Amino acid sequence: MNAPRYRFAPSPTGFFHVGGARTALFNWALARQSGGTFVLRIEDTDEARNRPEWTQGIIDSLAWIGISADDPHFEGPLFQSEFFDAHLDAARRLHESGHAYYCEMTPDEIQARAAAEGTTGYGGWSRDLGLGPGAGRVLRFRVPAGTTVVHDLVRGEVEFDNATIEDFVLVRGNGTPVFILANVVDDMSMRITHVVRAEEHLPNTPKQQMIWEALGEQPPIWAHVPVLVNEQRKKLSKRRDKVALEQYREEGYLADAMVNYLMTLGWSPGDTEIQPWSAMEPVFRLEDVNKSPAFFDLKKLAAFNGDYIRMLSADELAAACEPWLPAEWDRAPFRQMVPYIQERLKTLAEAPAAVDFLYVHDPAVDQESWDKAFAPDYALALLRDVIGAYETCTWDHGTLKAAMEDLMTRYDVKLGKASAATRVAVTGRSVGPPLFEALEVLGRDESLRRMRDAVTRAES
RNA sequence: GCCCCCAUCGUCUAGUGGCCUAGGACACCACCCUUUCAAGGUGGCGGCACGGGUUCGAAUCCCGUUGGGGGUGCCA
């Protein structure tokens, strides 16, 4: 009966913000650990940003980070726009009870009058005019004198002097409700008990709390978690920063890594940062959430992702890479190479480039790598000898390596240097997965062909 | 301008008056390992913003300063 009800209330904007993802995760953990409910409410009251497909995008993104609409703790999606009547009904009640009044001043008029009086903002000039509803008239909340104290689970008690809060608009001149009203009315009708959202909403909170009280209801428990910032310490913005969760997904970040990383921003899962969701969910507490903004560090995210990639089995990794592999590629060689590229990947999207030399006829040759590999005077002769040895030996990486080791002693160089020319000849680059394993997968004929071509090229 | 929030290594954090000579992670540097590159191992660099209090004792409590951030719409 008194199971807590949390909510996540994004506005559909066409992409899913990583900051929103973290807020959702926090709410999700809280709802699940308490046997409560996570309500998804789409705040679509601004008709300018409202497309049906965007809602699906939100649901898909939530599902990707483990917040499934099929879970019994999940409720929704509910749409704010469908509660239009309830918003206006609340507005009417607020007006009738004297908590709100109509005002016909336009923004321009307000600005002009404020300037004339040497003040800023709206001075409550229409408060006692007794105006009724009418076209172009906005409904304003009559902010009472006194102070409003917000009890916040993350920040403690935050006190606001009501004198610093002007009579804000509840209903626009065109008759549509404003976010601040709709948000409260929806939370009320959805019986939300805990509002956990980003810190940018903290200044809204005293206003909303006043609305709750004016409507005769007990406000929910508030919690404002710190925002995510960029390297300039500014709130992550879609203009300048990479904030779309979908983009990270497309770039080959694992959902588990993203979830884990997001949870460490503003909160710590304990002794080790790398923790599965199942371990974090039950121990997450708002009281432990930090109060200061957290930098969204791509480098650390990538490090987490690398860790998670390495935790996968070879089969799992091969399957996870599937979306990034060209359709025409034969999967068998790729699967053989997976164990060798696993510890070299930071993202799944890097997988194709790590093995593409297996699939292209003549891999592009990196000139710098080539020059370096063939610079030593022994390089060409050694490569010829390798070809000779590889023409007849058993084709497995152990034998290939042994043959190379035999030659390296004759030229008195280490294995790395001895195989440099062969590596460039076969892969076009000086870096890549282990050479002999790659040769084994590539096959004798193709490997030798490339090595002979390299000899020809080196001679000319 | 006004209101509000915040302040531990470059970054994310542990720390809730003595266990702190402030711990871990990412990044960086060095070394080891080594089949290039990675991965892994070891070590290093590096921090309680500043100034006052309170206390036998402050990273931890209070005040101020400074510095960040958020909000200031008929957006959400």
PDB file of all heavy atoms in Angstrom, chain A residues 123-134:
ATOM      1  N   GLY A 123       6.338  42.246 -10.920  1.00  0.00           N
ATOM      2  CA  GLY A 123       6.114  42.774  -9.577  1.00  0.00           C
ATOM      3  C   GLY A 123       4.776  42.476  -8.952  1.00  0.00           C
ATOM      4  O   GLY A 123       4.384  43.104  -7.971  1.00  0.00           O
ATOM      5  N   GLY A 124       4.048  41.521  -9.499  1.00  0.00           N
ATOM      6  CA  GLY A 124       2.764  41.173  -8.903  1.00  0.00           C
ATOM      7  C   GLY A 124       1.719  42.264  -9.100  1.00  0.00           C
ATOM      8  O   GLY A 124       0.772  42.393  -8.323  1.00  0.00           O
ATOM      9  N   TRP A 125       1.893  43.007 -10.178  1.00  0.00           N
ATOM     10  CA  TRP A 125       1.039  44.182 -10.380  1.00  0.00           C
ATOM     11  C   TRP A 125      -0.447  43.879 -10.553  1.00  0.00           C
ATOM     12  O   TRP A 125      -1.291  44.720 -10.287  1.00  0.00           O
ATOM     13  CB  TRP A 125       1.565  44.992 -11.568  1.00  0.00           C
ATOM     14  CG  TRP A 125       2.952  45.502 -11.307  1.00  0.00           C
ATOM     15  CD1 TRP A 125       3.321  46.358 -10.310  1.00  0.00           C
ATOM     16  CD2 TRP A 125       4.148  45.172 -12.011  1.00  0.00           C
ATOM     17  NE1 TRP A 125       4.674  46.596 -10.341  1.00  0.00           N
ATOM     18  CE2 TRP A 125       5.211  45.882 -11.390  1.00  0.00           C
ATOM     19  CE3 TRP A 125       4.442  44.364 -13.124  1.00  0.00           C
ATOM     20  CZ2 TRP A 125       6.520  45.802 -11.817  1.00  0.00           C
ATOM     21  CZ3 TRP A 125       5.743  44.296 -13.559  1.00  0.00           C
ATOM     22  CH2 TRP A 125       6.785  44.996 -12.908  1.00  0.00           C
ATOM     23  N   SER A 126      -0.777  42.680 -11.033  1.00  0.00           N
ATOM     24  CA  SER A 126      -2.196  42.376 -11.273  1.00  0.00           C
ATOM     25  C   SER A 126      -2.838  41.613 -10.119  1.00  0.00           C
ATOM     26  O   SER A 126      -3.990  41.196 -10.218  1.00  0.00           O
ATOM     27  CB  SER A 126      -2.337  41.549 -12.558  1.00  0.00           C
ATOM     28  OG  SER A 126      -1.729  42.207 -13.650  1.00  0.00           O
ATOM     29  N   ARG A 127      -2.090  41.435  -9.070  1.00  0.00           N
ATOM     30  CA  ARG A 127      -2.531  40.634  -7.933  1.00  0.00           C
ATOM     31  C   ARG A 127      -3.961  40.904  -7.467  1.00  0.00           C
ATOM     32  O   ARG A 127      -4.727  39.991  -7.234  1.00  0.00           O
ATOM     33  CB  ARG A 127      -1.613  40.873  -6.737  1.00  0.00           C
ATOM     34  CG  ARG A 127      -0.451  39.947  -6.689  1.00  0.00           C
ATOM     35  CD  ARG A 127       0.216  40.003  -5.341  1.00  0.00           C
ATOM     36  NE  ARG A 127       0.976  38.772  -5.157  1.00  0.00           N
ATOM     37  CZ  ARG A 127       1.350  38.295  -3.974  1.00  0.00           C
ATOM     38  NH1 ARG A 127       1.031  38.965  -2.878  1.00  0.00           N
ATOM     39  NH2 ARG A 127       1.996  37.171  -3.886  1.00  0.00           N
ATOM     40  N   ASP A 128      -4.274  42.154  -7.293  1.00  0.00           N
ATOM     41  CA  ASP A 128      -5.545  42.473  -6.661  1.00  0.00           C
ATOM     42  C   ASP A 128      -6.541  43.121  -7.612  1.00  0.00           C
ATOM     43  O   ASP A 128      -7.445  43.836  -7.189  1.00  0.00           O
ATOM     44  CB  ASP A 128      -5.291  43.376  -5.455  1.00  0.00           C
ATOM     45  CG  ASP A 128      -4.333  42.728  -4.482  1.00  0.00           C
ATOM     46  OD1 ASP A 128      -4.570  41.558  -4.134  1.00  0.00           O
ATOM     47  OD2 ASP A 128      -3.314  43.364  -4.121  1.00  0.00           O
ATOM     48  N   LEU A 129      -6.354  42.865  -8.897  1.00  0.00           N
ATOM     49  CA  LEU A 129      -7.264  43.443  -9.882  1.00  0.00           C
ATOM     50  C   LEU A 129      -8.568  42.651  -9.986  1.00  0.00           C
ATOM     51  O   LEU A 129      -9.569  43.139 -10.511  1.00  0.00           O
ATOM     52  CB  LEU A 129      -6.583  43.486 -11.262  1.00  0.00           C
ATOM     53  CG  LEU A 129      -5.916  44.810 -11.675  1.00  0.00           C
ATOM     54  CD1 LEU A 129      -5.299  45.514 -10.455  1.00  0.00           C
ATOM     55  CD2 LEU A 129      -4.822  44.547 -12.712  1.00  0.00           C
ATOM     56  N   GLY A 130      -8.549  41.433  -9.496  1.00  0.00           N
ATOM     57  CA  GLY A 130      -9.761  40.617  -9.544  1.00  0.00           C
ATOM     58  C   GLY A 130     -10.176  40.236 -10.953  1.00  0.00           C
ATOM     59  O   GLY A 130     -11.355  40.002 -11.223  1.00  0.00           O
ATOM     60  N   LEU A 131      -9.219  40.155 -11.834  1.00  0.00           N
ATOM     61  CA  LEU A 131      -9.505  39.787 -13.222  1.00  0.00           C
ATOM     62  C   LEU A 131     -10.000  38.345 -13.333  1.00  0.00           C
ATOM     63  O   LEU A 131      -9.568  37.473 -12.590  1.00  0.00           O
ATOM     64  CB  LEU A 131      -8.225  39.914 -14.049  1.00  0.00           C
ATOM     65  CG  LEU A 131      -8.011  41.141 -14.950  1.00  0.00           C
ATOM     66  CD1 LEU A 131      -8.640  42.393 -14.354  1.00  0.00           C
ATOM     67  CD2 LEU A 131      -6.519  41.350 -15.169  1.00  0.00           C
ATOM     68  N   GLY A 132     -10.905  38.134 -14.275  1.00  0.00           N
ATOM     69  CA  GLY A 132     -11.366  36.772 -14.532  1.00  0.00           C
ATOM     70  C   GLY A 132     -10.613  36.231 -15.722  1.00  0.00           C
ATOM     71  O   GLY A 132      -9.801  36.939 -16.318  1.00  0.00           O
ATOM     72  N   PRO A 133     -10.867  34.953 -16.061  1.00  0.00           N
ATOM     73  CA  PRO A 133     -10.183  34.366 -17.220  1.00  0.00           C
ATOM     74  C   PRO A 133     -10.555  35.100 -18.495  1.00  0.00           C
ATOM     75  O   PRO A 133     -11.638  35.693 -18.579  1.00  0.00           O
ATOM     76  CB  PRO A 133     -10.667  32.917 -17.231  1.00  0.00           C
ATOM     77  CG  PRO A 133     -11.895  32.898 -16.388  1.00  0.00           C
ATOM     78  CD  PRO A 133     -11.759  34.000 -15.392  1.00  0.00           C
ATOM     79  N   GLY A 134      -9.682  35.093 -19.445  1.00  0.00           N
ATOM     80  CA  GLY A 134      -9.961  35.764 -20.695  1.00  0.00           C
ATOM     81  C   GLY A 134      -8.832  35.524 -21.672  1.00  0.00           C
ATOM     82  O   GLY A 134      -7.737  35.135 -21.275  1.00  0.00           O
TER      83      GLY A 134
END
